[in-house]
């Protein structure tokens, strides 16, 4: 007999007073002024909340909640003067920690949001106004992932991948899409130029359509590009091993702090008793992302 599967969320969503929700992070001044914040605010103003914030009950005060996901949405609602919000209530704070979910509206996440809104019956023109784009751009975003395999989508789902880069992925067959996504992540490079170079270095057998002649490159040059692409990940790992001692210690320290912030219990404790330390830890991990 199989053991019962633990639920990640309570059975029903809950309408919660906003003043009973405790955020686990502070929004930076630059984020408050960003286009991402403005876009989310415009979307909420035009069509309301599409994806409810995610909270978890406080262990000692079950009528109070800690915010795991949806910090921008909650801030927008507060500034609008809203007093309540419908939330999903998580039951497992280890499986759904804020630290893995704070980067919203990455390219693929925006695509998912658009599909959810359309599925709920939101007219295209209204949705386009909410996102401050025209109908043609909206329809392109709606079909963003047509031709991209689910495994590559999963790898890139929280990355800020340019629209045209995903277009280059569509030129490859599924196995090569996965390899390309892994190389982009390893190099932390998602530009369309890099994606084009990966396409150029891909054998015709791994492309949806064979390449036409590329910029006067000879077959020998293309073969060399293919060989370089095949060894790129190995070279990247070699470079990692050549870091100096100080740099290595810094990487390890930041990694350890990142793991601490990946534990919602620790984050909740720091938010309640040591918010200044939590703020500094978050700054350190943000520096790592920007590096």
């Amino acid at each position: 007999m199989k053991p019962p599967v633990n639920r990640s969320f309570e059975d029903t969503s809950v309408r919660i007073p906003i003043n009973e929700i405790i955020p686990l992070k502070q929004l930076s001044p630059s984020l408050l002024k960003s286009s991402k914040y403005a876009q989310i605010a415009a979307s909420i103003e035009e069509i309301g909340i599409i994806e409810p914030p995610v909270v978890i009950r406080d262990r000692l005060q079950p009528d109070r909640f800690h915010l795991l996901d949806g910090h921008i949405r909650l801030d927008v609602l507060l500034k609008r003067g809203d007093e309540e919000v419908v939330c999903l209530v998580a039951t497992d704070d280890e499986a759904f920690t804020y630290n893995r979910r704070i980067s919203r509206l990455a390219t693929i996440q925006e695509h998912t949001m658009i599909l959810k809104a359309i599925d709920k019956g939101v007219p295209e023109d209204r949705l386009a106004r909410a996102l401050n784009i025209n109908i043609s751009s909206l329809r392109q975003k709606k079909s963003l992932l047509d031709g991209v395999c689910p495994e590559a989508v999963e790898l890139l789902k929280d990355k800020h991948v340019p629209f045209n880069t995903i277009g280059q992925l569509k030129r490859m067959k599924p196995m090569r899409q996965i390899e390309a996504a892994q190389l982009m992540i390893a190099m932390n490079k998602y530009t369309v130029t890099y994606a084009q170079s990966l396409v150029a270095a891909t054998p015709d057998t791994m492309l949806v359509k064979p390449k036409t002649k590329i910029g006067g490159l000879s077959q020998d040059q293309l073969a060399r590009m293919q060989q370089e692409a095949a060894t790129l990940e190995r070279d990247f790992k070699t470079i990692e091993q050549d870091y100096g001692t100080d740099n290595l210690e810094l990487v390890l320290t930041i990694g350890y702090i990142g793991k601490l912030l990946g534990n919602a219990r620790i984050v909740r404790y720091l938010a309640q008793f040591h918010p200044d330390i939590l703020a500094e830890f978050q700054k350190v991990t943000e520096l790592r992302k920007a590096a």
Side-chain angles (χ1 to χ4, degrees), residues 116-148:
K116 285 184 178 181
I118 291 174
D119 188 56
K120 289 184 176 183
V122 178
E124 286 187 348
D125 58 341
R126 189 179 177 191
L127 186 56
R129 287 197 304 272
L131 297 175
N132 195 29
I133 57 177
N134 58 41
I135 293 290
S136 176
S137 296
L138 176 70
R139 289 172 180 166
Q140 286 182 325
K141 290 176 180 289
K142 184 172 70 171
S143 60
L144 175 72
L145 300 181
D146 293 352
V148 181

Side-chain angles (χ1 to χ4, degrees), residues 104-120:
R104 307 303 299 174
L105 278 188
T107 309
I108 291 174
Q109 292 168 342
E110 182 185 48
H111 163 80
T112 302
M113 184 198 75
I114 288 171
L115 292 186
K116 285 184 178 181
I118 291 174
D119 188 56
K120 289 184 176 183

